[in-house]
Amino acid sequence: MYQIMSADEAAELIKDGDCICVNAFVGIENPVELHEAIYRRYHETGSPKNLTMVSSAGFGVWDENRNAEGYIREGAVDRLICGHFGAMLSTKKLVLEDRFEAYNLPLGCISHAIRAQASGVKGALSKVGMDIFVDPRREGPGINNISKDDSLVRNVSVEGEEYLYYQLPKLTVALIKGTAADMQGNISFDDMYMSGDALSICQAVRANHGKIIVQVDRLVKTQARPRNTIIPGCFVDAIVVVEAEHKNAAFKSLSGSFEIPFEDWPDWYEMLEPLTSVKRKAETPAKIIGRRAAKELKPDDIVNIGIGIPEMVSRYARKLGVLSQVTLTVESGGIGGFPATGTVFGAMIGATSVYDMANQFDLYDNGGLDICFMGALEVDCHGNVNAHRGPGAFAGIGGFANITAKTPTVVFCLTFDAVGLEVQKKRDVITIVNEGKVPKFVNEIRSISFSAKRAIENGQHVLYVTERCVFELTSEGLRLKEVYPGIDRQKDILDRLPFKVIE
């Protein structure tokens, strides 16, 4: 039977050595007060310690002094297993200092492994991750020098076919954020941007005889409608009521609490953008890339658009009149709306459906998308892509590996080089005013996020759209498919590549 208690009382339920699974998505829907109560307890008593933290999409609030950052930084956590670390500002720096073990697995594979544990199966089989960094035959999932656990990802064979087997440690604590709890403890997510892995996490923790702690905005006297209950009250051990922070009215567009017609999406997006924006790439190159990439869209396509430069695709899809003819999706479970960006990445304006994250990755892993648009840090001569690890920094693979694994058409959106690149466009004529100092096309990439070899085997159509040209993946390497007006084929492209391409 659940109990209503303070965050500090709930933190007392966590024991030394527990494995805490957090339901969040990058920077949204974090149970912030629960994390900060854990920090207060650890700071005062030194407990709970030796914690393992698991989260499919990571957990942070873009502030190194809030959420879990404090207790991670001070030593309460021995091990982190996450799909993405982008919103965990101090944590992702400490990882590279070998302060604790840290593992990066594809977001969808963690989500499926949580669901598997909930069903009494130790792990989840997947083709996703084969021939990229997480594959034990390459680097494995460990991010730093002390992360040597080889039980998380293993190569296995089933009926003569190769798979990766993803297995998580036994989950013993669930930290969840919901909207409301009724008098029976049933948890609804009505004002939330997503439900993520909430139900699977609770089922797994309950099966492991652990503790399920839920932070909600309010208590309600009316019993939740059965279809609106995400977590049944019989699963819940502790409910912590924390009044929701006041937010600008623009954020209400992300909760699905009212209908937003297609023609109003741009207005809501423009209201949200200054409130949620993070630093983006140079505007002119991104516009050129977004406009060209958007031409790959076809009516009735089911689509995923990544963050950064790919976000321009949706802008130009609207200008080209095709946005109303396609269905956009986001990894957190949203379908049929317009993806939000920046600090609220994972939310959607005007979604027609938001379901559990594991179900979304069922769609992605099995090639249910028609096309996706992804960013890239580096591309090598074979067409392999690094999208998760830069020099001395990383954010994590997130859903990138799942999304690109079987989608029939994959479009990478990236500048030809970076840091100082300056481009002008006049009447569709492109001029490279100044080249960037950091090349994006290199002989050898730092780490593989996308395997060109596997894409060829799968029969995927892969493009690399830049601000000056388009490359296409072939079985023999990259082919220069298209050169934009104003660009000198030899001087601006071929002479600047460290490898030969097919012409």
Side-chain angles (χ1 to χ4, degrees), residues 8-73:
D8 291 318
E9 290 170 330
E12 294 287 340
L13 299 176
I14 301 172
K15 305 186 298 294
D16 292 352
D18 266 333
C19 179
I20 301 174
C21 193
V22 183
N23 190 57
F25 191 92
V26 187
I28 63 173
E29 311 305 18
N30 277 281
V32 175
E33 185 54 41
L34 298 182
H35 285 298
E36 296 187 349
I38 295 170
Y39 172 65
R40 287 191 294 271
R41 182 183 167 206
Y42 180 77
H43 188 68
E44 293 169 5
T45 70
S47 186
K49 60 181 182 296
N50 305 128
L51 299 173
T52 294
M53 308 291 294
V54 175
S55 182
S56 296
F59 51 103
V61 290
W62 305 98
D63 184 340
E64 63 183 18
N65 295 311
R66 295 190 65 206
N67 211 53
E69 304 276 13
Y71 67 83
I72 293 174
R73 185 165 52 241

Side-chain angles (χ1 to χ4, degrees), residues 217-260:
D217 299 336
R218 58 185 179 270
L219 299 175
V220 294
K221 293 182 178 179
T222 305
Q223 182 176 328
R225 294 182 64 181
R227 290 291 295 170
N228 290 355
T229 294
I230 301 296
I231 305 172
C234 59
F235 292 174
V236 181
D237 294 288
I239 293 173
V240 177
V241 183
V242 180
E243 187 175 349
E245 293 180 14
H246 176 72
K247 290 184 177 179
N248 185 289
F251 287 93
K252 292 182 180 178
S253 65
L254 305 175
S255 67
S257 56
F258 57 95
E259 183 181 357
I260 301 177

